[in-house]
Amino acid sequence: MLQKFKQLINENFSFLKEKKLLIACSGGVDSMVLTHLCAAAELTISLAHCNFGLRGEESDDDAVFVKNWAVANDVACFIKHFDVEGYLENHGGSVQMAARELRYQWFAELLDAEGFDYVLTAHHADDNLETFLINLSRGTGIAGLTGIPQQNDKIVRPLLPFSQDDILGYAKSNGVAWREDSSNASSKYLRNKIRHQIVPVLKELHPTFLQNFLSTQKHLGQTNDLVSQSIKTLQSELFEPQDSVFRINIAKLKALQPLGAHIYHLFQGYGFTEWGDVEGLLSATSGKQVVSKTHILLKDRDYLLLSPKENRVNKSYPVYLDETRTKLPIPLKVESVEKVEKEGKHVVFLDKEKLNPPLLLRNWEKGDYFYPFGMQGKKKLSKFFKDEKMDVLSKGKQWLLCSGDDIVWVVGKRADERFKVEGSTREIIKITQLL
């Protein structure tokens, strides 16, 4: 196994050489074999052990075991105790998910604080099979069947090509000591049920079942790569960028077949899960939307608008007439000028004596109205936005420059008639939206 491991490092993970590596070491057979193999391959390693305290004294003994091995082999070791119950009280979820989140959060902190280049974990081929079956039992797409990736950013899993039998065989033949986790024998967790009750039966069906599975999973991964490339091409054609929003032509989207599969792959990267609701937007009335944890998908006439979800908080910012403010949500340049120059949507000229400084920059609110420059009478902003063909997302991002309760400028759109420069104006203020 050592020779195969060295060959794997040379062919697939040569970037690990001469790097500072952190091994996630529980003290179990998998992580201890990974530690021995890395040491034998002369990689630069340190150990990180998580003590979740879920098995009382047994958990503490695991930590002592890892620490003693590190001392005996002159390897740096980091050990951290975690309050899993406290984390669950604040965040909810399962014990396993809490432990996973805490573990990887700590690894990220160690990478940053101690200058490690990568974290190595001891996931192997049997873990991959179990993950496949878990995802299959819960329902998943092709991506969920491709298994655990060999590399995910700074997390590397060099034991994935090896089976549990390979690892146990190496440990026994090379005198590798390890700790047994008593919770691994319990059928309390879904993974353990699959490990002890389902996988053995599957392996009995065919003597090379695991190898056949890995081959099949490789083919699934290649198919998923083809799908991903096709989806990226489609997204570049369909997703029209406009500021921070993507506009997607509904007619072109409807032309894709099978429609449901295309919708899933086009939008699944944006956190959506209610696919019936997403597809329903195609025939919904304008203004309907579907919200994920990270994004909003909005129907706007003949388009879907995809944008990041923002926690909008209505705020107002003072704008003084004697200084340029660049730290506003939209930076503004304020200056006194002698005459009105060429105007545009992003420049406004105002009669200083008509203003009540400081001006306020704020979000628009329902019921707002103004007196559009060049027109008689007032107009509700909602009607103005409709005439401007502004979508709901753009309305939510619109800023107003106000004097007291009166709108001076719908920034970047139109000024208010009441504050225009006239023949009797003595001082002119020019405000420019800096783009």
Side-chain angles (χ1 to χ4, degrees):
M1 183 179 178
L2 176 58
Q3 292 307 312
K4 290 182 179 179
F5 181 80
K6 288 182 177 179
Q7 182 179 353
L8 182 71
I9 295 298
N10 288 331
E11 295 178 357
N12 293 5
F13 301 107
S14 59
F15 58 87
L16 295 179
K17 297 178 179 180
E18 310 303 326
K19 296 296 183 180
K20 191 176 178 182
L21 310 176
L22 183 68
I23 296 179
C25 186
S26 67
V29 64
D30 303 334
S31 60
M32 291 308 301
V33 165
L34 175 60
T35 299
H36 275 256
L37 288 170
C38 288
E42 299 182 344
L43 298 177
T44 304
I45 61 171
S46 297
L47 306 184
H49 177 81
C50 302
N51 185 349
F52 297 109
L54 298 174
R55 293 173 286 115
E57 187 177 337
E58 184 180 332
S59 294
D60 294 334
D61 290 343
D62 290 347
V64 171
F65 171 79
V66 173
K67 181 66 176 179
N68 288 343
W69 188 95
V71 170
N73 291 273
D74 195 25
V75 171
C77 182
F78 302 86
I79 296 176
K80 184 169 182 176
H81 292 73
F82 294 91
D83 179 10
V84 178
E85 292 183 359
Y87 185 87
L88 287 172
E89 288 179 4
N90 293 324
H91 299 86
S94 67
V95 170
Q96 286 182 313
M97 285 304 298
R100 184 182 187 281
E101 290 170 5
L102 288 168
R103 177 167 61 248
Y104 282 102
Q105 180 180 322
W106 181 47
F107 292 161
E109 292 171 359
L110 285 174
L111 282 171
D112 184 55
E114 302 295 334
F116 290 106
D117 296 296
Y118 297 96
V119 175
L120 307 188
T121 71
H123 294 92
H124 49 74
D126 288 76
D127 291 324
N128 225 344
L129 174 57
E130 292 162 11
T131 299
F132 173 93
L133 293 172
I134 288 172
N135 291 341
L136 183 65
S137 70
R138 292 171 175 168
T140 186
I142 188 171
L145 301 179
T146 56
I148 305 170
Q150 284 196 327
Q151 182 179 0
N152 185 6
D153 193 19
K154 298 294 185 180
I155 308 296
V156 180
R157 305 174 179 93
L159 290 188
L160 278 178
F162 301 98
S163 69
Q164 180 75 82
D165 288 342
D166 292 331
I167 292 170
L168 285 170
Y170 178 87
K172 292 175 180 177
S173 62
N174 289 274
V176 177
W178 73 86
R179 293 273 301 171
E180 287 288 355
D181 184 341
S182 61
S183 66
N184 287 336
S186 170
S187 295
K188 177 181 178 181
Y189 303 114
L190 175 60
R191 182 175 291 274
N192 285 356
K193 288 182 180 179
I194 290 174
R195 178 177 302 164
H196 298 304
Q197 299 175 19
I198 297 178
V199 171
V201 176
L202 292 175
K203 289 182 176 179
E204 286 179 5
L205 296 176
H206 199 286
T208 58
F209 176 85
L210 186 59
Q211 289 72 25
N212 296 342
F213 162 74
L214 293 177
S215 177
T216 299
Q217 198 169 61
K218 180 180 179 180
H219 297 320
L220 286 172
Q222 293 171 342
T223 301
N224 188 56
D225 289 342
L226 289 175
V227 172
S228 297
Q229 292 171 13
S230 175
I231 290 299
K232 285 181 180 178
T233 300
L234 274 176
Q235 285 177 329
S236 67
E237 295 172 356
L238 293 175
F239 287 41
E240 177 187 343
Q242 191 175 73
D243 296 326
S244 61
V245 177
F246 285 115
R247 298 173 76 248
I248 302 132
N249 186 290
I250 291 176
K252 292 181 180 180
L253 189 58
K254 282 184 174 180
L256 300 175
Q257 295 298 324
L259 181 58
H262 277 90
I263 286 176
Y264 171 80
H265 286 289
L266 285 168
F267 295 103
Q268 62 92 20
Y270 298 97
F272 295 100
T273 56
E274 301 298 328
W275 301 110
D277 293 343
V278 173
E279 189 170 343
L281 280 182
L282 303 185
S283 55
T285 57
S286 288
K288 294 291 184 181
Q289 64 182 27
V290 176
V291 180
S292 75
K293 289 183 177 180
T294 58
H295 285 76
I296 297 172
L297 190 61
L298 171 75
K299 171 72 177 292
D300 183 56
R301 295 182 286 274
D302 297 327
Y303 290 85
L304 295 182
L305 304 180
L306 176 67
S307 72
K309 186 163 66 174
E310 300 175 354
N311 295 321
R312 184 183 176 211
V313 179
N314 288 334
K315 292 184 177 180
S316 61
Y317 302 84
V319 177
Y320 299 94
L321 300 184
D322 57 354
E323 65 178 66
T324 295
R325 300 295 304 279
T326 58
K327 293 185 179 181
L328 296 168
I330 48 171
L332 300 175
K333 180 181 180 182
V334 183
E335 55 187 325
S336 295
V337 296
E338 295 296 326
K339 60 181 180 179
V340 174
E341 304 161 356
K342 184 177 180 181
E343 298 187 65
K345 288 186 176 182
H346 300 289
V347 179
V348 65
F349 293 89
L350 307 170
D351 186 328
K352 185 176 181 179
E353 292 182 349
K354 296 178 182 179
L355 301 173
N356 181 22
L359 304 182
L360 292 178
L361 185 70
R362 66 169 175 84
N363 300 119
W364 88 280
E365 299 174 358
K366 190 174 182 180
D368 277 335
Y369 65 89
F370 77 129
Y371 290 76
F373 184 82
M375 293 179 58
Q376 295 294 322
K378 67 181 181 181
K379 189 172 191 176
K380 283 191 173 182
L381 275 184
S382 56
K383 179 66 167 60
F384 173 75
F385 291 155
K386 184 176 181 180
D387 293 343
E388 291 284 305
K389 294 183 169 53
M390 291 175 63
D391 59 68
V392 175
L393 297 176
S394 297
K395 295 175 190 176
K397 297 176 180 178
Q398 181 62 54
W399 290 95
L400 308 177
L401 187 63
C402 302
S403 175
D405 294 330
D406 297 325
I407 295 173
V408 174
W409 184 24
V410 181
V411 181
K413 297 292 182 183
R414 199 157 181 173
D416 190 291
E417 175 76 13
R418 293 169 293 179
F419 301 92
K420 70 179 181 180
V421 175
E422 300 178 298
S424 60
T425 298
R426 292 187 294 181
E427 292 186 74
I428 301 173
I429 295 295
K430 176 185 178 183
I431 302 180
T432 307
Q433 179 185 1
L434 302 176
L435 301 175

